[in-house]
Amino acid sequence: SSSSSSSSSSSSSSSAKNDDNEWLFTDSAFFFDWATGQRLLRFFEAEGMRIRCEVDAYGDFLQALGPDASDEYTRDHTNVVSADADLQRTRQSLFEHLKGVPLNTLLFHRSRFYHLGTIPEYLFHFCVDPTFKMEMGTSRVAFCAVVNAAGTKRVRALDGGGSGWAGLSERACCQHSAFRVGRTGNGSSDDAQQQQHLPVAAVGEKSVLEYCDAGANVRVGERCVVSTTRLPAGAVVPDGSFLHSVCVSSSASAPTAPDADADAGTGTGTG
C-alpha cells in the first residue's frame, strides 16, 4: 500500500521457490490513496491518454516506490518479451511521477486460497469439496424459494439442506433462484412435491443452478452450470452444459430490457 488511506486497488499474483524447493504462491492487492491516484492520472495525461507499451505492478509501479527507489530498472529489459522504442521512455516517465511515494506492506496471517476460475473447479468446490463448504459456510440450497405460477409471490422459502426436495441431487447446489409452482396432474411424485410447496424440478450430480427463474418440471443434468437464466416449464438441460444469459440491445445508444414474456437470450456450450 502506498498510503494508509486507500481509495483504489488492483491485484496480481506470482510464484517462486524457496531453499527447500517448496512452491510459494503470493496473491497481492495494491491500494493507493487519492494523492497517488492523482499522480497516476498526471502520468496518463502526459502519455496523451494512451499507454503504448506494457507496464505492470511488479515490474514498474512497485519499483518506483519507497525512499531507495532508483530508475536503473527502467533500462533493464531482462524479463521483457518485446522491448519497443516506447518502453524505456514510458518507464522513466512513470518513475518520475511516482518518485517519493512511500511503500507500506501488510502481512496477513496464513490463509487458504480457492481458485474458482474454471467450470470443473467451480463445480467441485460448490458441490463436492467438504472443506470449502465448511470454511465458506455454503450449503446445497441458499437464498432460494418456491413462488406462484406468475412469479409474483413467494410460497415457501427453501432451507439450506433442501429437505424433502426429491429432485435435488446430494451433490448439487442451488442459490439465489426461484422455482415456480405447477402440477403435473398425473398423480406422480411430482404432484406430492408440489403439494408440499417443494420444487417440481430436478438438478443432477455436480451441477450448480444460480440466479435462475425455473418453471415447473425443469430438469438439469449432471456437471452443469446454469446461471442467470429463465428456464420455461418442462425445460431440459443436457449433461455437461454451461448455460448463461446476458443482456443485449439492438441499439448501442439505447439499451433495452428483454420482453417479460420472451425467451431469455442464452449462450450454451457442452463439455
Side-chain angles (χ1 to χ4, degrees), residues 87-107:
L87 181 61
Q88 183 171 332
R89 181 195 56 77
T90 302
R91 281 181 159 183
Q92 186 67 40
S93 176
L94 182 59
F95 174 80
E96 295 297 333
H97 281 86
L98 291 179
K99 184 171 59 177
V101 173
L103 173 65
N104 302 295
T105 302
L106 298 176
L107 299 179

Side-chain angles (χ1 to χ4, degrees), residues 119-120 123 204-208 219-226 236-243 267-271:
I119 289 179
L123 294 179
E205 284 279 300
K206 300 181 183 178
S207 287
V208 172
R219 298 290 184 265
V220 177
E222 299 180 356
R223 307 181 318 280
C224 295
V225 175
V226 183
V236 177
V237 179
D239 293 349
S241 296
F242 171 75
L243 188 63
T268 62
T270 59

Side-chain angles (χ1 to χ4, degrees), residues 125-126 129 132-140 142 160 173 175:
H125 288 308
F126 276 95
D129 186 6
F132 176 84
K133 293 181 179 181
M134 177 189 68
E135 294 184 342
M136 298 294 105
T138 65
S139 61
R140 285 202 303 162
C173 178
Q175 51 189 342

Side-chain angles (χ1 to χ4, degrees), residues 12-233:
S12 184
S13 62
S14 66
S15 61
K17 282 187 175 181
N18 65 10
D19 293 337
D20 297 325
N21 293 321
E22 295 178 351
W23 282 98
L24 303 174
F25 293 91
T26 64
D27 191 72
S28 304
F30 309 108
F31 298 86
F32 51 88
D33 61 8
W34 180 265
T36 305
Q38 290 295 304
R39 288 173 178 249
L40 292 172
L41 180 58
R42 287 193 291 271
F43 161 71
F44 187 53
E45 291 172 340
E47 293 296 307
M49 310 291 282
R50 179 185 176 189
I51 307 299
R52 295 172 174 80
C53 59
E54 181 180 355
V55 290
D56 60 41
Y58 289 105
D60 300 289
F61 291 92
L62 295 183
Q63 295 202 66
L65 307 179
D68 299 323
S70 166
D71 66 354
E72 291 181 5
Y73 77 91
T74 64
R75 297 179 289 277
D76 182 2
H77 298 164
T78 304
N79 296 320
V80 177
V81 176
S82 177
D84 56 35
D86 289 309
L87 181 61
Q88 183 171 332
R89 181 195 56 77
T90 302
R91 281 181 159 183
Q92 186 67 40
S93 176
L94 182 59
F95 174 80
E96 295 297 333
H97 281 86
L98 291 179
K99 184 171 59 177
V101 173
L103 173 65
N104 302 295
T105 302
L106 298 176
L107 299 179
F108 291 95
H109 295 296
R110 182 178 178 180
S111 61
R112 190 184 301 273
F113 175 72
Y114 290 101
H115 193 275
L116 303 177
T118 67
I119 289 179
E121 288 172 327
Y122 194 72
L123 294 179
F124 173 74
H125 288 308
F126 276 95
C127 299
V128 180
D129 186 6
T131 304
F132 176 84
K133 293 181 179 181
M134 177 189 68
E135 294 184 342
M136 298 294 105
T138 65
S139 61
R140 285 202 303 162
V141 181
F143 305 105
C144 292
V146 176
V147 298
N148 63 359
T152 58
K153 182 180 180 181
R154 186 171 71 173
V155 176
R156 171 179 176 170
L158 299 176
D159 61 43
S163 177
W165 181 357
L168 180 65
S169 167
E170 285 296 325
R171 297 200 298 178
C173 178
C174 295
Q175 51 189 342
H176 298 277
S177 294
F179 299 87
R180 302 198 186 204
V181 299
R183 297 189 180 185
T184 61
N186 58 11
S188 67
S189 59
D190 284 347
D191 276 336
Q193 290 275 289
Q194 195 66 72
Q195 290 168 9
Q196 300 176 54
H197 302 303
L198 289 167
V200 180
V203 183
E205 284 279 300
K206 300 181 183 178
S207 287
V208 172
L209 182 76
E210 59 181 15
Y211 305 100
C212 288
D213 179 355
N217 308 311
V218 163
R219 298 290 184 265
V220 177
E222 299 180 356
R223 307 181 318 280
C224 295
V225 175
V226 183
S227 179
T228 57
T229 300
R230 186 171 60 206
L231 300 171

